Amino acid sequence: MIQENVWISTNSLDFAQSMTLLLRFQIQSYIQRTMYSHGTSGEQSNYYSRSRGLRVLLVDDDEINRMVTKKMLEKLGCEVTAVSTGFECLSAFSHAENSFRVVVLDLHMPEIYGFEVATRIRKFRSCNWPLIIALTASTEDNVQKRCVQIGMNAVLQKPVLLQAMAAELQRILHRAKPL
Amino acid sequence: MDLVQLQRQLVDYKTSLYNEGFLDEQFTQLQELQDENNPDFVVEVVSLFFEDSERLLNELTKALEQQSVDFKRVDAHVHQLKGSSSSIGAQRVQKVCIAFRNYCEEQNIEGCVKCLQQVRHEYSLVKTKLESMFQLQQQILSAGGSIPM
C-alpha cells in the first residue's frame, strides 16, 4: 500500500515520470514490505537511514558515470557502495559483512575487464550469488552472449536511463536467477 | 527583465539547445535525478565533466604531438570523453568522439588531429552554452523564482 502524501513536482507528471515513480514504488515495497511515503527532505532522510534499502555495489572506473549511476540507483531507493576498480569490487566481496544483493558492473574498465570481474564473483560465491547487471556502450551481439555465458542477470546499454534501470532491477529481483 | 520574462528566456534557451543537438535526453535525465537531497546535482556533474574534459583534451593534444603516436592511448582518452559526454547528454561532443575513435582504429593521424580540433570546438560551444544556462537559472533563483523544467 502506498500512502497518500506523495510529493509531486510543480510541473505536471508526464507518462515517463509516472512510470518511473510506479516502478520505484514497486521495487521499494518488494524489498522492504513497508509503507513508502514521499515527504519533506527530513522525512526522506529518516526513511533512508531507518530502513534497509537494496544493497548495491556499483563498479565503474569513470567518475562522472559513477556519480550519475549512483544517483540513479539511490533515486530508486538503493543503498549504493561505489568503487572504481575491479580489484576494489572483488575485495568488497571478501568482507563477510558486505551482503550486496546486486552488482552493477561497467564492462569496460582498464586494468581488469568487467567480464573477468563477473567471472570471479561467480566463482567466489557458490550460493546467494549477487545479481549482476552489466553496463556496456557496445551494441554488439556477442557482448550479450558472453554476459549470459558468465551468468550475468541483465545487460544495459549506456547511457542508462532511469526507467531502464528501474525496469531491469524489478525484472531480475522478481526472477532472481541467472539469464 | 522581470521574472516571467527570465523564465521564458530560459525555457526558450533550453529548447534551442535540444533542437540544435547540443543536449539530448540524457541531460533531461540528469535534471530528473536532481532533488532536494542533492539540489546542485546537475551543476556538480556538469562541472566535473568540464574538469575531466579539459584534462582529456590536454592529454589528447600531448599524445598526438608525439613522434610516434600511441593510438591505443589516444583511443582510451577518446573513449573516456565519449562516455562522459554521453552520460551528461552532450550529444555533439559525443558524435565527434565516435568519428575520432574510427580514425584511431585506422591509425590515421590527420583524421585524429582534425577530430581533436572539432571536439575542442564542440566542447567549448557546449561549455559556453551550459554556463549561460546556469547563469540564467541563478538569476531566476535570485529573483525568488523557480526553475521551469
Side-chain angles (χ1 to χ4, degrees):
Chain A
M1 236 177 79
I2 298 162
Q3 285 189 342
E4 288 304 312
N5 52 326
V6 174
W7 175 75
I8 296 177
S9 57
T10 52
N11 58 315
S12 57
L13 284 174
D14 63 17
F15 179 72
Q17 275 190 301
S18 6
M19 273 303 289
T20 306
L21 276 174
L22 180 66
L23 284 165
R24 187 177 169 190
F25 288 147
Q26 286 178 335
I27 291 168
Q28 288 290 343
S29 54
Y30 179 88
I31 301 154
Q32 284 101 5
R33 294 179 204 130
T34 55
M35 303 274 256
Y36 185 82
S37 63
H38 283 279
T40 59
S41 58
E43 281 177 28
Q44 267 194 320
S45 54
N46 277 343
Y47 171 75
Y48 288 126
S49 59
R50 186 173 62 227
S51 64
R52 283 157 67 227
L54 185 68
R55 297 209 59 212
V56 178
L57 180 65
L58 170 62
V59 194
D60 192 328
D61 69 318
D62 182 81
E63 198 179 352
I64 292 157
N65 292 342
R66 208 162 56 234
M67 198 170 161
V68 175
T69 310
K70 182 169 194 255
K71 189 76 181 82
M72 190 183 292
L73 289 163
E74 285 171 347
K75 198 84 173 170
L76 295 173
C78 302
E79 194 188 293
V80 186
T81 303
V83 298
S84 57
T85 67
F87 294 123
E88 283 180 286
C89 169
L90 294 173
S91 67
F93 276 97
S94 64
H95 292 115
E97 67 273 12
N98 282 336
S99 52
F100 297 111
R101 186 78 178 99
V102 178
V103 177
V104 177
L105 178 64
D106 178 50
L107 288 184
H108 178 101
M109 283 186 294
E111 93 293 351
I112 172 173
Y113 286 106
F115 288 123
E116 178 71 24
V117 174
T119 308
R120 291 194 200 184
I121 292 172
R122 286 280 171 259
K123 284 189 180 145
F124 243 128
R125 300 286 185 89
S126 54
C127 63
N128 294 330
W129 289 355
L131 301 172
I132 302 179
I133 299 179
L135 302 182
T136 178
S138 168
T139 49
E140 290 168 41
D141 285 333
N142 60 355
V143 171
Q144 168 92 356
K145 285 194 188 123
R146 218 173 148 193
C147 289
V148 173
Q149 277 172 347
I150 291 170
M152 299 196 198
N153 303 87
V155 184
L156 278 174
Q157 278 252 267
K158 295 203 283 189
V160 184
L161 289 173
L162 184 65
Q163 291 99 291
M165 179 64 85
E168 282 307 298
L169 270 175
Q170 205 204 14
R171 186 183 67 81
I172 66 176
L173 285 169
H174 188 68
R175 289 178 60 185
K177 56 182 179 176
L179 283 170
Chain B
M1 206 183 281
D2 73 359
L3 186 56
V4 174
Q5 279 183 296
L6 278 175
Q7 287 171 319
R8 189 59 201 272
Q9 199 187 355
L10 178 64
V11 171
D12 289 345
Y13 194 63
K14 260 196 205 167
T15 308
S16 74
L17 293 183
Y18 282 96
N19 288 341
E20 290 163 27
F22 286 104
L23 296 178
D24 66 23
E25 66 181 340
Q26 199 59 26
F27 188 80
T28 315
Q29 171 81 107
L30 282 191
Q31 292 180 304
E32 284 170 11
L33 291 177
Q34 184 164 291
D35 55 27
E36 65 275 5
N37 289 326
N38 270 111
D40 300 314
F41 180 69
V42 179
V43 173
E44 280 172 16
V45 177
V46 173
S47 303
L48 195 58
F49 170 71
F50 291 160
E51 272 175 43
D52 206 53
S53 301
E54 269 149 47
R55 178 185 60 85
L56 287 169
L57 289 170
N58 288 335
E59 292 293 322
L60 281 166
T61 309
K62 273 192 261 176
L64 287 171
E65 278 170 359
Q66 300 303 309
Q67 285 279 32
S68 157
V69 174
D70 181 354
F71 285 102
K72 265 195 148 170
R73 201 185 148 87
V74 174
D75 184 69
H77 290 319
V78 179
H79 177 90
Q80 245 194 300
L81 186 57
K82 174 173 162 275
S84 55
S85 59
S86 143
S87 279
I88 70 145
Q91 197 185 61
R92 281 159 69 143
V93 174
Q94 186 199 355
K95 286 202 168 133
V96 180
C97 288
I98 294 171
F100 203 152
R101 289 198 79 197
N102 289 336
Y103 284 123
C104 287
E105 217 178 291
E106 293 167 17
Q107 306 214 345
N108 181 335
I109 268 260
E110 264 178 50
C112 283
V113 170
K114 202 182 75 175
C115 275
L116 178 57
Q117 280 178 336
Q118 264 184 294
V119 86
R120 267 199 190 281
H121 177 69
E122 288 301 337
Y123 166 72
S124 80
L125 278 177
V126 79
K127 179 168 192 263
T128 308
K129 287 177 189 288
L130 284 171
E131 284 173 340
S132 302
M133 196 187 79
F134 290 145
Q135 263 176 6
L136 252 179
Q137 285 182 340
Q138 200 46 56
Q139 276 182 283
I140 292 170
L141 290 173
S142 305
S146 61
I147 309 295
M149 278 296 165

